Amino acid sequence: MHEINEWPEEGELVVCTVEDVKDFVAFVRLDEYENKKGLIHISEIATGWIKYIRDFVREGQKIVCKVLNVDTDRGHIDLSLKDVNEHQRREKIQEWKNEQKAEKWIGFVAEATGTEPHAIKEVFYTHFGLLYPAFEEIVTEGEAALKKFGFSKSVNEALKTVAGENVKISKVTITGTLVLTSMKPDGVNIIRRALRSAQPKIDDVEIDLTYLGAPNYRIKVTAPDYKRGERAIEKAAKAAIGVMERAGDAAKFVRKQKAKSA
């Protein structure tokens, strides 16, 4: 769960619960953002002509939406359901479920060691932007990961026990955002070259790029472990930035950090 005052970013995928469906709009609650509500206009429900909006959404349904616009002054969040494909929906739901599990595990550790859950979450968010990947790294990296976190011995032992009992590692995922800006007449081609260079062939590593809206491009690396994933994402980002800078344009890589949990 995010801080009460935190807002989602444009282009972000969010898990929502449908609360009310009208003739031309659906109102939802953003499950990952406390006290935040959003709306989906009928034009963003599905492609093509829609006669009855309830053929696509209903009260109580869990859905994954893309954030189109955030107006913090008005407390207004516009969402799209049609812009989320099935693959993205499955991945986001899995991430959300994993975060819920991690919340419970941190609760177990906090209760067993007399530690504030917030203290553990703060460290995990700082390193990963999410909670679940921290438990994955504890399983794959062991003492090296625990040493990096800087917790007490009792918390480390509890984390190691909980992670070992609950996390089964197959692949790990690391994400970030490439910010690519070009003012050149052929800027589109320069950015295309940069994106191609951000997909080097690396054994056992998958690199996916998603357009979030100019100038942002999401880069996601799936790898057997975090060390390989970190090396891959750094290599990919460095390659893209190199192309942009050699052309005299601006570029940077941002590892998204979620706000600290309340």
Side-chain angles (χ1 to χ4, degrees), residues 180 186-199 239-240 243-244 246-247 249:
L180 310 178
D186 62 340
V188 172
N189 291 327
I190 294 170
I191 290 174
R192 283 175 180 166
R193 290 201 302 272
L195 293 173
R196 283 198 299 269
S197 72
Q199 293 182 294
V243 170
M244 298 296 292
R246 285 192 293 274
D249 288 316

Side-chain angles (χ1 to χ4, degrees), residues 225-243:
D225 56 68
Y226 274 101
K227 283 185 177 178
R228 295 185 68 177
E230 289 286 356
R231 286 198 297 266
I233 202 166
E234 288 174 9
K235 180 177 181 180
K238 185 177 180 181
I241 291 170
V243 170

Side-chain angles (χ1 to χ4, degrees), residues 105-106 108-113 115 120 135 138 146 152-166:
W105 300 340
I106 289 172
F108 297 153
V109 171
E111 185 176 355
T113 60
T115 306
I120 301 173
F135 287 96
I138 290 169
L146 293 168
S152 67
K153 184 177 180 180
S154 62
V155 171
N156 283 347
E157 289 301 315
L159 286 170
K160 187 161 62 174
T161 298
V162 169
E165 290 176 350
N166 293 284

Side-chain angles (χ1 to χ4, degrees), residues 138-205:
I138 290 169
V139 172
T140 58
E141 301 296 329
E143 294 298 329
L146 293 168
K147 184 177 180 180
K148 176 174 66 179
F149 298 146
F151 295 127
S152 67
K153 184 177 180 180
S154 62
V155 171
N156 283 347
E157 289 301 315
L159 286 170
K160 187 161 62 174
T161 298
V162 169
E165 290 176 350
N166 293 284
V167 178
K168 301 296 180 281
I169 294 294
S170 54
K171 295 272 189 177
V172 298
T173 300
I174 301 172
T175 61
T177 302
L178 282 169
V179 183
L180 310 178
T181 306
S182 177
M183 303 303 292
K184 302 286 195 313
D186 62 340
V188 172
N189 291 327
I190 294 170
I191 290 174
R192 283 175 180 166
R193 290 201 302 272
L195 293 173
R196 283 198 299 269
S197 72
Q199 293 182 294
K201 292 189 180 301
I202 304 174
D203 289 342
D204 298 327
V205 174

Side-chain angles (χ1 to χ4, degrees), residues 113-130:
T113 60
T115 306
E116 284 293 327
H118 172 73
I120 301 173
K121 293 177 186 178
E122 182 176 357
V123 172
F124 286 179
Y125 280 133
T126 298
H127 283 281
F128 301 99
L130 294 167

